[in-house]
Amino acid sequence: MNPAKRRAIFERLREANPDPKTELDYTTPFELLVAVVLSAQATDKGVNKATARLFRVANTPQKIVDLGVDGLIPYISSIGLFNTKAKNVVALAQILVHDHGGEVPRSREALEQLPGVGRKTANVVLNVAFGEPTMAVDTHIFRVCNRTNLAPGKDPLAVEQKLDAVVPDEFRLHAHHWLILHGRYTCVAKVPKCPACIIVDLCEFRHKTRLVEPKTVARGAVKRPAARVPARRTRG
Ligand code: SF4
């Protein structure tokens, strides 16, 4: 994809949503960190429901340590993998208390050493909590970048590096939010909503969906609503 087209895509996404936000509820970097750790293989809505109750009683590393794994589990048991996540959240809270003065570190290396925190989670925290222009490549961004040819790559790290290399500076802070939301609501996994897509003329996906009118099979036949033609599956 050429740079002019790439720029035009981000201009459209920015125009439609000038100040995109994460859909996870949080008020501090620690709350964000916990919410992101809990969100692996879970919906933001489900995580928000759990953290709304949890953060009322424990929203600092020390309070989570005091709660302990057994005390934390009832708050997050509606979320997938809650046993493992409870252990990770308590363990990372202990490290923050002992090694970081109870604060979330603003460093990729330190973040990635916390239990349950991988590169993507570190990128989300650095971007959302600290305003760093990082690209947190999740399944939605991976799919959108490959389908559109905006920043193709064989795995999330390759896509992240490509985005780092090609996204113009003025779009870097919000790029991952725009792409996540585009993938979550428009360029969805099974049947992308190409007819409603604001970048349809810029996207280089070869199997865009379209609306087709059903053929009239007999005089007087009732006209049915237009049907959506599914696209072929792609990676991601
Ligand atoms: S045109 Fe279709 S495939 Fe391309 S970005 Fe939009 S929804 Fe996705």
Side-chain angles (χ1 to χ4, degrees):
M1 177 175 287
N2 68 51
K5 210 186 249 189
R6 220 176 259 127
R7 171 172 286 279
I9 285 176
F10 283 112
E11 283 173 346
R12 295 249 185 106
L13 295 174
R14 179 174 64 185
E15 193 181 348
N17 186 2
D19 191 20
K21 305 276 189 225
T22 176
E23 293 185 324
L24 290 170
D25 295 336
Y26 74 99
T27 59
T28 65
F30 179 69
E31 287 188 1
L32 175 68
L33 175 61
V34 171
V36 179
V37 169
L38 294 178
S39 72
Q41 296 178 49
T43 64
D44 288 359
K45 203 173 163 188
V47 171
N48 289 340
K49 208 169 159 187
T51 56
R53 291 175 57 236
L54 172 64
F55 293 156
R56 273 200 291 273
V57 296
N59 70 338
T60 65
Q62 187 60 60
K63 286 179 181 171
I64 290 286
V65 171
D66 294 343
L67 201 56
V69 174
D70 290 344
L72 175 56
I73 282 176
Y75 291 98
I76 65 170
S77 59
S78 57
I79 299 173
L81 307 175
F82 65 88
N83 276 313
T84 303
K85 289 176 180 175
K87 286 178 195 156
N88 284 338
V89 168
V90 172
L92 73 81
Q94 285 169 335
I95 293 173
L96 294 183
V97 169
H98 292 133
D99 298 348
H100 299 284
E103 301 291 328
V104 176
R106 187 176 180 166
S107 132
R108 173 188 301 288
E109 293 69 32
L111 285 167
E112 286 189 18
Q113 282 174 11
L114 299 172
V117 178
R119 187 177 182 90
K120 188 188 75 178
T121 298
N123 277 334
V124 173
V125 173
L126 289 170
N127 180 287
V128 177
F130 299 121
E132 307 261 0
T134 50
M135 305 290 169
V137 177
D138 70 349
T139 183
H140 299 299
I141 295 189
F142 182 74
R143 182 176 65 251
V144 170
C145 286
N146 275 293
R147 267 186 188 160
T148 58
N149 205 29
L150 177 76
K154 65 181 182 348
D155 54 39
L157 181 59
V159 169
E160 179 187 329
Q161 289 168 338
K162 183 76 178 169
L163 286 168
D164 279 338
V166 301
V167 176
D169 284 350
E170 66 182 287
F171 305 114
R172 293 179 62 81
L173 182 61
H174 293 318
H176 95 268
H177 275 135
W178 285 318
L179 295 173
I180 284 175
L181 294 171
H182 192 65
R184 192 174 280 171
Y185 297 110
T186 304
C187 194
V188 293
K190 285 188 182 165
V191 185
K193 300 172 183 174
C194 304
C197 178
I198 61 172
I199 57 169
V200 65
D201 55 319
L202 301 166
C203 166
E204 295 180 358
F205 187 44
R206 285 185 298 155
H207 308 292
K208 289 172 190 157
T209 56
R210 62 190 187 281
L211 294 178
V212 293
E213 294 298 327
K215 289 178 184 166
T216 302
V217 293
R219 284 181 69 188
V222 176
K223 193 177 177 189
R224 288 173 295 150
R228 205 178 282 285
V229 176
R232 287 184 207 165
R233 296 289 306 272
T234 60
R235 293 180 304 164

